[in-house]
Amino acid sequence: MTFDEILAQVLDLLQCERRLSYRAIKVRFGLDDDHLEALKDEIIEAKQLAVVEKGRVLVWTGDPVSGPWALPLTPAP
């Protein structure tokens, strides 16, 4: 799986769950420390879609429907 594919999946999961621990992300996606750091940089700094809580948890700050990975809040007619 490419970095972009992992990033998209983590963003999907983070948007749905609203909070994810770094440890769970590493285990779920089989990431080493360098890849986790790159993922954090992209989500927190570059895209500004999450903040860090207690140095261990990503907390979603993006709009509920932002990005191409978002699901609509209301059903389409």
Side-chain angles (χ1 to χ4, degrees), residues 26-40:
K26 282 181 71 171
V27 169
R28 186 172 192 148
F29 295 96
L31 301 177
D32 61 21
D33 289 338
D34 287 337
H35 285 96
L36 179 63
E37 287 302 314
L39 194 67
K40 288 166 41 178

Side-chain angles (χ1 to χ4, degrees), residues 45-65:
E45 302 299 332
K47 298 195 181 307
Q48 298 183 343
L49 293 173
V51 295
V52 179
E53 184 178 277
K54 298 181 182 178
R56 299 176 54 172
V57 176
L58 278 177
V59 179
W60 178 260
T61 60
D63 293 335
V65 293

Side-chain angles (χ1 to χ4, degrees), residues 1-57:
M1 194 177 317
T2 69
F3 178 81
D4 290 334
E5 291 169 334
I6 293 171
L7 176 62
Q9 288 186 20
V10 170
L11 288 173
D12 279 343
L13 188 59
L14 183 57
Q15 187 178 27
C16 289
E17 299 289 327
R18 311 305 268 176
R19 306 167 59 83
L20 294 173
S21 71
Y22 293 143
R23 188 171 183 174
I25 294 169
K26 282 181 71 171
V27 169
R28 186 172 192 148
F29 295 96
L31 301 177
D32 61 21
D33 289 338
D34 287 337
H35 285 96
L36 179 63
E37 287 302 314
L39 194 67
K40 288 166 41 178
D41 287 347
E42 191 66 19
I43 294 170
I44 298 165
E45 302 299 332
K47 298 195 181 307
Q48 298 183 343
L49 293 173
V51 295
V52 179
E53 184 178 277
K54 298 181 182 178
R56 299 176 54 172
V57 176

